[in-house]
Amino acid sequence: MSTPEFNEEHRDALQEVANVAMGEAGAKLAELLGTFVRLSVPRIEISAATQVPDILGKLLGSDNAVTAVRQSFLSRIQGEAIVLFGEAGCAELADLMGYEGAFASAQRREVLLDIANVLVGACLGGVFRQLGLELGYSAPSLLAENTLADRVIHTESLNWRRALLVEVNFRLEQGAFSSHLVILLPEHSIDRLRESLEQMMATL
Amino acid sequence: MNVLERPELLEFIVDRANVGIFALDREMRVLLWNRFMADHSGRGAESVVGRNLFQCFPDLPRRWLEKKISGVFLLKNFAFTSWEQRPYLFRFPHGRPVTGGIDFMQQSCTFLPMLDAAGGVDAVCVTLVDATDTAIAHRKLEGALATVRESAQCDGLTGVFNRRRLEERLSEEFYRVRRYGGPLSLVMFDIDHFKRVNDVHGHLAGDEVLRIIAARVAAAVRASDVLGRYGGEEFCVVLPGTELAGARIVAEKLRELIASEPVVYKDVALDITISCGAAQAAAEHTVWDELVRIADAALYRAKGEGRNRVCS
């Protein structure tokens, strides 16, 4: 769905920026973890805020329980990034990130918060750096545990009408670990993003 | 006044801020160590700055922390730790030795990449916040919630599940069996002539009988069985995975257990017996109340046939 304010041209520009950012992020994550990683081509969509739970449900399969971590970011543009994890492959990744010993639930949470932070930072940092914006981040926190994907976000708690979704699938080339990064921008930030994209396009 | 024109003011703020601030280079050498870190670690800047962090503090979780910090250098990205998952990095004493119940200062940290003019990262700055008070408050809250949860589920007098929780568990088991199959039984029992105990020995004696009977039964049933006080002197035991024959055996065992030993209250030995009704869930039952109704009818027959017995 395109809107008069955020048209196909903006979308294409954002897609371009996001593709470059994910390429860089993938290389950095591979270096950090010492293993090959796959980041999908970002999928960009503007939707009604009330549709977000359905979109997440379709993305991950509405029968699958997920753990979700949220992290807010802010500069001139603010929003929230949500990382959704399935059950598989987490212990493997924990080892790659230097975690040691028993894989208890507190540690599992810490690993997921850590991965979410790394993913969000690598992906968002790349996007916004190209737009000339330096982001600040809040500490990541758990949004939901063992919850069906379409119930992670409650639409009653959204106080805006439209949302920009940028979705990336991150997985390790070997092993079962896979997660989805979803970036949500509320309306006023979509407007600011559009301005930043226009400025960038003007300088090309 | 512009703070930037007074660098000594900035220095003062960094040094005296009531949060830990330190910085590390790529080799994990300490570049900065503020007063908070010095006071809490007992090691002043002069003995730490210029040295490797892990040599100064061998207790630190080295492999993990090095990976975390190298991630900040590599990704040029913030990183965080929270006391909720990892209570502390440094073994700092905290200021609540009396009210704490917590071993070390609880810490939340933020790792910031320090960008140089060329956009590279040459150092990582770490801020460390004392979250001990929050952790203690959180613990108290968790404790209070557990108490509330328990008192909402348990009978105040006997400590076994109350009727609401008992029915909840029975209905869960009932619908699980309807969906996945397998047997499910219910034993309902009632203290014989309980009114007489109250009338002759007083209500406090009656209360003690209820407490002791509940405790004996609770100790005798299996961990998977669910005991609850249904009301007055009536109790139920939900028996998952148990057929009627097994339920009768359980009921007989409980009857025997109670009848074999008197309840002693203030040096008076009271001979107490119970009557039991047992029932098994069947395919034609569509709601769990039917199981209660059948067990209750069997209990009624046990009473009619002379008490201190099991009917089904």
Side-chain angles (χ1 to χ4, degrees):
Chain A
M1 160 173 142
S2 86
T3 65
E5 309 91 63
F6 200 91
N7 59 30
E8 282 303 305
E9 209 178 331
H10 296 122
R11 219 195 78 103
D12 290 347
L14 180 60
Q15 183 77 56
E16 196 59 37
V17 165
N19 291 353
V20 171
M22 294 317 138
E24 287 170 9
K28 282 178 180 171
L29 290 170
E31 192 182 337
L32 178 73
L33 300 172
T35 182
F36 288 106
V37 303
R38 284 282 168 87
L39 280 171
S40 68
V41 173
R43 224 178 56 138
I44 295 168
E45 189 171 342
I46 288 210
S47 79
T50 49
Q51 298 264 282
V52 171
D54 279 349
I55 294 172
L56 296 185
K58 275 188 202 123
L59 209 62
L60 285 113
S62 49
D63 292 342
N64 291 326
V66 296
T67 297
V69 174
R70 58 156 295 284
Q71 186 170 24
S72 49
F73 54 91
L74 64 161
S75 65
R76 230 165 59 81
I77 296 170
Q78 11 185 300
E80 259 182 279
I82 296 171
V83 183
L84 300 147
F85 300 94
E87 287 305 305
C90 193
E92 227 168 307
L93 189 57
D95 182 57
L96 293 175
M97 295 187 69
Y99 286 83
E100 283 165 330
F103 200 54
S105 66
Q107 199 182 34
R108 182 172 180 278
R109 290 188 194 126
E110 190 183 13
V111 173
L112 295 182
L113 291 174
D114 213 1
I115 300 166
N117 179 63
V118 163
L119 256 184
V120 169
C123 297
L124 262 75
V127 169
F128 285 93
R129 241 189 314 276
Q130 292 176 71
L131 297 175
L133 294 171
E134 203 57 58
L135 287 185
Y137 302 91
S138 72
S141 61
L142 276 175
L143 181 64
E145 268 185 299
N146 287 320
T147 305
L148 296 178
D150 56 357
R151 308 229 178 116
V152 166
I153 294 180
H154 302 282
T155 44
E156 317 87 76
S157 60
L158 300 178
N159 46 11
W160 18 273
R161 285 178 301 119
R162 284 185 304 129
L164 173 73
L165 274 117
V166 179
E167 189 269 329
V168 185
N169 179 11
F170 165 73
R171 61 188 180 84
L172 299 183
E173 197 164 76
Q174 308 247 304
F177 180 83
S178 164
S179 64
H180 289 263
L181 166 68
V182 179
I183 299 162
L184 286 164
L185 290 184
E187 285 168 306
H188 60 89
S189 285
I190 299 177
D191 293 341
R192 292 188 175 163
L193 174 66
R194 180 181 44 97
E195 288 163 21
S196 294
L197 287 167
E198 280 167 2
Q199 278 169 21
M200 188 196 73
M201 288 188 282
T203 59
L204 287 180
Chain B
M1 180 185 68
N2 186 347
V3 172
L4 294 175
E5 289 162 9
R6 302 261 316 264
E8 78 280 6
L9 202 55
L10 288 179
E11 223 167 273
F12 177 85
I13 293 168
V14 170
D15 194 49
R16 298 297 181 86
N18 196 21
V19 289
I21 302 175
F22 63 100
L24 302 168
D25 68 9
R26 279 180 188 274
E27 276 72 50
M28 304 292 150
R29 273 192 304 260
V30 179
L31 301 170
L32 174 95
W33 192 254
N34 81 342
R35 178 81 173 263
F36 181 101
M37 294 304 291
D39 288 348
H40 288 280
S41 68
R43 302 197 51 168
E46 70 290 345
S47 80
V48 176
V49 170
R51 294 189 56 198
N52 181 291
L53 179 71
F54 298 103
Q55 276 162 13
C56 296
F57 298 95
D59 285 338
L60 285 171
R62 181 169 188 160
R63 179 172 173 244
W64 166 81
L65 191 54
E66 269 184 340
K67 197 85 189 177
K68 186 126 187 157
I69 293 169
S70 64
V72 176
F73 277 112
L74 182 67
L75 304 175
K76 302 179 188 175
N77 183 30
F78 284 55
F80 303 88
T81 65
S82 163
W83 66 270
E84 285 188 86
Q85 286 81 39
R86 182 178 295 267
Y88 52 84
L89 294 189
F90 293 89
R91 296 187 176 193
F92 290 168
H94 57 74
R96 309 264 307 245
V98 182
T99 53
I102 278 178
D103 48 359
F104 296 106
M105 177 203 285
Q106 307 285 293
Q107 301 154 22
S108 288
C109 297
T110 303
F111 299 72
L112 309 111
M114 293 169 71
L115 296 173
D116 59 21
V121 180
D122 55 11
V124 168
C125 173
V126 184
T127 59
L128 182 154
V129 176
D130 179 355
T132 309
D133 286 348
T134 311
I136 290 173
H138 192 258
R139 242 179 218 209
K140 278 191 189 152
L141 185 65
E142 292 276 295
L145 275 178
T147 312
V148 167
R149 231 175 270 132
E150 198 180 297
S151 64
Q153 291 188 344
C154 292
D155 174 48
L157 178 65
T158 62
V160 302
F161 281 153
N162 60 19
R163 177 163 176 172
R164 200 173 60 87
R165 182 64 185 146
L166 176 77
E167 291 184 339
E168 229 170 62
R169 292 284 288 112
L170 176 61
S171 87
E172 280 165 21
E173 291 299 332
F174 184 85
Y175 293 112
R176 179 171 304 144
V177 163
R178 273 186 68 80
R179 183 159 180 194
Y180 299 108
L184 170 69
S185 292
L186 178 70
V187 168
M188 216 168 183
F189 69 87
D190 181 299
I191 299 170
D192 296 327
H193 300 301
F194 184 68
K195 191 174 176 304
R196 207 184 286 165
V197 176
N198 278 330
D199 290 348
V200 176
H201 303 279
H203 282 93
L204 291 178
D207 286 351
E208 184 64 10
V209 168
L210 286 168
R211 258 195 297 267
I212 291 181
I213 301 294
R216 281 199 206 158
V217 172
V221 296
R222 296 163 295 191
S224 57
D225 299 338
V226 181
L227 168 65
R229 184 174 173 202
Y230 195 70
E233 66 273 26
E234 209 165 31
F235 293 82
C236 283
V237 190
V238 182
L239 304 163
T242 307
E243 294 183 358
L244 186 59
R248 284 194 59 106
I249 293 171
V250 171
E252 183 54 34
K253 193 177 99 182
L254 297 180
R255 189 203 60 74
E256 168 74 27
L257 175 76
I258 302 304
S260 65
E261 194 191 329
V263 172
V264 178
Y265 177 73
K266 288 195 173 167
D267 299 332
V268 181
L270 304 169
D271 288 315
I272 303 292
T273 59
I274 59 172
S275 300
C276 306
Q280 182 181 349
E284 68 264 23
H285 303 153
T286 51
V287 287
W288 59 269
D289 324 37
E290 289 181 65
L291 191 55
V292 175
R293 195 176 49 74
I294 301 167
D296 198 26
L299 171 58
Y300 188 76
R301 280 200 304 283
K303 293 270 181 197
E305 291 173 16
R307 300 189 169 83
N308 191 21
R309 69 195 59 219
V310 176
C311 280
S312 61

